[in-house]
Amino acid sequence: MSDSRPHTFSIKLWPPSLPTRQALIERITNNLSSKSIFTDKYGTLTTEQAMENAKRIEDIAFSTANQQFEREPDGDGASAVQLYAKQCSKLILELLKKGPVAKVAERETLSEEESSASPRETVFDISKGKRAFIEAEEAEELLKPLKEPGNGYTKIYFSNRSFGLGAARVAEPILVSLKHQLKEVDLSDFVAGRPEVEALDVMNIFSNALQGSVLSSLNLSDNALGEKGVRAFGTLLKSLSSLEELYLMNDGISKEAAQAVSELIPSTERLKVLHFHNNMTGDEGAVAISEVVKRSPLLESFRCSSTRVGSEGGIALSEALECCAHMKKLDLRDNMFGPEAGVSLSKTLPSYKHLTELYLSYLNLEDEGAIAIVNALKESASPIEVLEMAGNDITVKAASAIAACVAAKQELNKLNLSENELKDEGCVQIAKSVEYDHSKLQYLDMSSNYIRRAGAVALADVVIKKEGFKLLNIDGNIISEEGIEEVKEIFKKKPELLGVLDDNDPDGEEGDDEDEEEDEELESKLKNLEVNEDD
């Protein structure tokens, strides 16, 4: 079930700006050419050589990290930033260990012989820029680097370029020659705008060319595959025995297509990532996908969001997920599970010990499903860092259980309970649950929860004291104008920590003496509430 209301809680850390990238290149140049414990041990490069290699290192690291970000479009980019830095450090050290390529007195650029000291190009990416058709002549030119003898390409990204039949035939012998060295292939959105017959022929050509490859990652997203498209890739899918990541997002995966996926991927023992976001899978399709999940004991990241799955499919998936003890990231957002499927999912969660991100927004969980899930989560050993349960018709009745769960999860970085009906009473309980410890909490979203002044002030008082806190979202509530001013006063020294309040509706709150007395009485009552982890 899709939700048309705007979601305002979004901060993106990726991609870095051009000045940021240039600054990193300068730092890498300095690291390669200046005195340090590493250059003392392995030797330094000349400034010119350092600059040339720094550009190459940053470009490879950026490309690798950007692919990570594109696989997680709803993430904040933090994992991409971490990978970007990690790749840069790794490539710098690898280069230095190979030794200086010239004496300090020399100033010429790297010779052909010396270039072996540079990081080897492993990523071939033609996906940047505007989406465009590609025909045979252009393919010949674009794919030339892949024909070079002894090239080290292990990752190819053809996304965003629509291959015609001629271009596919140009790519075919090249892919055949590379298939035993390729590890990652991204064919997302690579037949856009093509007639169905041509698109299927192109898919068949790529499938046959890559048959028997040793891929660890395959991305077929954004291709409107349907059952015909899935089967067009059947030859490739059947041959993959080392697959660790499979992306089939926005692919028109109906129940028939889902059944084809289950049938054509017999080897999933190594599968760690399986993403099915934004398809029309439905309950019967979810049952088919659950069979793939059952055969994937190493699964760490499973995404089946916005797939029209109801209670029956939700229960099937929940039961299948019991087989995945290594789960780290689970995303089931925007489906029609209902309370019963929520209760079923709660029986799976206690077995997880590594779960760090749980996305359960817009699942119609209601109080029954929400209470079952948070009670189970509280008892689990999972070091939860992200918990999202927005838009689930959760009321004050579930607040105590949610607060107890939150209080038990000290690793929590982001909590999203927006678009529910927790009101002031529930809001204050949540505030108390994170009042002490929770030093890693950075984002809290309680927008659109019918919160008034008391709840808003309680939240503000708690989060303003947390050293690393970054953003509180309480927009879309019914906070009085006086309450808004009080909250803004609390954030006076750090206004950037308070989200926008454009959709707050103060009408009817504290409008007369009776309302004010009622609000003050509620605030006084709420101050005595405690969070009990044993509830």
Side-chain angles (χ1 to χ4, degrees):
M1 179 187 69
S2 296
D3 192 284
S4 60
R5 291 173 289 188
H7 296 206
T8 59
F9 194 76
S10 178
I11 292 181
K12 295 290 186 184
L13 303 178
W14 189 266
S17 65
L18 288 177
T20 298
R21 293 184 65 183
Q22 186 57 43
L24 180 58
I25 290 173
E26 292 173 2
R27 286 199 296 274
I28 295 173
T29 301
N30 187 58
N31 287 336
L32 293 173
S33 59
S34 302
K35 184 178 178 62
S36 70
I37 58 173
F38 292 110
T39 55
D40 282 347
K41 183 175 182 180
Y42 301 115
T44 59
L45 303 183
T46 66
T47 301
E48 290 179 2
Q49 293 164 351
M51 174 63 78
E52 181 178 345
N53 281 282
K55 290 178 180 178
R56 186 181 295 109
I57 287 171
E58 189 279 339
D59 186 65
I60 294 172
F62 177 84
S63 180
T64 302
N66 198 52
Q67 291 298 324
Q68 167 76 16
F69 178 71
E70 289 174 355
R71 294 191 189 102
E72 299 181 349
D74 291 337
D76 61 6
S79 60
V81 172
Q82 291 174 354
L83 182 59
Y84 184 44
K86 183 178 179 181
Q87 283 290 105
C88 284
S89 298
K90 175 185 173 183
L91 293 172
I92 290 171
L93 191 56
E94 285 179 356
L95 176 60
L96 288 174
K97 282 183 177 179
K98 291 178 180 178
V101 295
K103 295 179 180 179
V104 176
E106 297 176 4
R107 288 295 178 265
E108 67 271 13
T109 57
L110 291 176
S111 68
E112 194 170 10
E113 180 182 351
E114 292 166 337
S115 66
S116 60
S118 304
R120 198 178 187 192
E121 194 76 44
T122 60
V123 179
F124 182 79
D125 189 352
I126 60 171
S127 66
K128 300 297 185 288
K130 295 181 179 180
R131 176 189 289 181
F133 283 88
I134 176 173
E135 305 302 343
E137 185 176 349
E138 185 181 0
E140 288 278 6
E141 186 63 30
L142 275 177
L143 305 183
K144 265 185 181 179
L146 295 177
K147 293 182 178 181
E148 293 176 3
N151 74 73
Y153 293 112
T154 59
K155 305 171 185 178
I156 58 174
Y157 304 114
F158 289 171
S159 177
N160 210 36
R161 303 303 295 268
S162 180
F163 279 73
L165 200 52
R169 287 174 177 150
V170 170
E172 183 176 15
I174 297 174
L175 294 176
V176 170
S177 69
L178 296 177
K179 67 180 179 182
H180 294 301
Q181 71 186 57
L182 292 176
K183 299 297 182 183
E184 294 185 20
V185 171
D186 185 347
L187 300 178
S188 59
D189 195 23
F190 87 125
V191 289
R194 300 290 179 180
E196 181 181 284
V197 173
E198 183 180 18
L200 292 173
D201 284 343
V202 170
M203 292 177 193
N204 271 299
I205 289 173
F206 273 78
S207 177
N208 291 328
L210 292 168
Q211 179 187 9
S213 55
V214 289
L215 299 184
S216 60
S217 177
L218 177 62
N219 190 345
L220 300 177
S221 300
D222 302 309
N223 282 310
L225 294 176
E227 183 185 7
K228 291 180 181 179
V230 171
R231 294 197 179 280
F233 277 108
T235 303
L236 171 60
L237 294 173
K238 285 180 179 179
S239 71
L240 297 176
S241 59
S242 305
L243 196 62
E244 295 181 8
E245 300 180 7
L246 178 61
Y247 302 90
L248 293 168
M249 299 184 287
N250 193 31
D251 266 334
I253 302 293
S254 60
K255 66 177 183 180
E256 293 84 6
Q259 289 162 355
V261 170
S262 181
E263 169 195 334
L264 295 171
I265 311 180
S267 181
T268 57
E269 292 84 1
R270 299 186 183 184
L271 201 62
K272 294 181 180 180
V273 178
L274 182 59
H275 286 192
F276 277 96
H277 170 68
N278 196 28
N279 285 296
M280 48 186 183
T281 313
D283 281 343
E284 292 183 61
V287 171
I289 296 304
S290 69
E291 293 301 315
V292 179
V293 173
K294 286 178 185 178
R295 302 196 301 265
S296 309
L298 299 183
L299 205 58
E300 296 178 359
S301 177
F302 180 61
R303 187 179 187 190
C304 196
S305 50
S306 303
T307 48
R308 307 183 187 180
V309 177
S311 182
E312 180 186 349
I315 292 172
L317 287 172
S318 298
E319 293 174 349
L321 286 165
E322 289 187 52
C323 303
C324 308
H326 299 274
M327 189 66 66
K328 295 179 181 179
K329 180 178 179 180
L330 181 58
D331 186 350
L332 301 170
R333 281 176 286 191
D334 193 19
N335 283 298
M336 300 170 282
F337 277 26
E340 189 176 352
V343 171
S344 180
L345 180 61
S346 73
K347 298 174 183 177
T348 295
L349 295 177
S351 63
Y352 290 165
K353 297 180 181 179
H354 312 287
L355 190 66
T356 58
E357 298 180 35
L358 184 59
Y359 301 91
L360 302 176
S361 296
Y362 310 107
L363 291 177
N364 295 338
L365 294 176
E366 301 179 5
D367 288 335
E368 180 185 358
I371 290 172
I373 285 171
V374 295
N375 281 344
L377 198 59
K378 182 184 72 171
E379 301 301 324
S380 78
S382 293
I384 293 293
E385 297 173 9
V386 177
L387 177 59
E388 295 198 3
M389 299 180 73
N392 275 303
D393 296 321
I394 301 172
T395 71
V396 177
K397 181 180 177 182
S400 178
I402 294 173
C405 172
V406 170
K409 298 301 175 182
Q410 290 295 319
E411 299 296 314
L412 201 61
N413 172 272
K414 178 180 178 181
L415 177 62
N416 183 356
L417 295 170
S418 63
E419 298 180 61
N420 285 300
E421 300 175 25
L422 289 167
K423 301 183 179 179
D424 274 6
E425 184 176 344
C427 185
V428 172
Q429 291 187 67
I430 299 301
K432 285 184 175 293
S433 73
V434 298
E435 184 172 7
Y436 303 106
D437 298 320
H438 281 88
S439 59
K440 297 181 180 180
L441 185 66
Q442 294 184 326
Y443 303 99
L444 180 56
D445 191 343
M446 295 293 292
S447 58
S448 302
N449 262 288
Y450 300 100
I451 297 171
R452 297 186 296 174
R453 172 178 165 271
V457 171
L459 286 170
D461 277 334
V462 168
V463 301
I464 194 64
K465 299 172 185 175
K466 297 193 175 296
E467 185 175 348
F469 193 78
K470 293 185 177 179
L471 187 64
L472 172 66
N473 186 359
I474 51 174
D475 199 16
N477 284 300
I478 48 176
I479 308 166
S480 66
E481 293 180 0
E482 291 83 354
I484 292 294
E485 291 304 314
E486 192 171 348
V487 168
K488 287 184 176 179
E489 181 63 28
I490 293 172
F491 284 96
K492 186 176 181 179
K493 294 183 178 180
K494 297 181 178 179
E496 71 277 6
L497 304 187
L498 179 63
V500 298
L501 294 166
D502 296 344
D503 293 327
N504 181 67
D505 180 10
D507 291 347
E509 290 303 302
E510 297 188 11
D512 51 43
D513 291 341
E514 183 179 344
D515 283 338
E516 186 171 350
E517 290 173 7
E518 201 174 279
D519 192 48
E520 289 176 354
E521 181 182 350
L522 174 61
E523 183 174 359
S524 176
K525 179 181 177 182
L526 293 175
K527 284 181 180 179
N528 298 318
L529 284 175
E530 295 182 357
V531 176
N532 185 354
E533 293 190 27
D534 297 324
D535 282 354

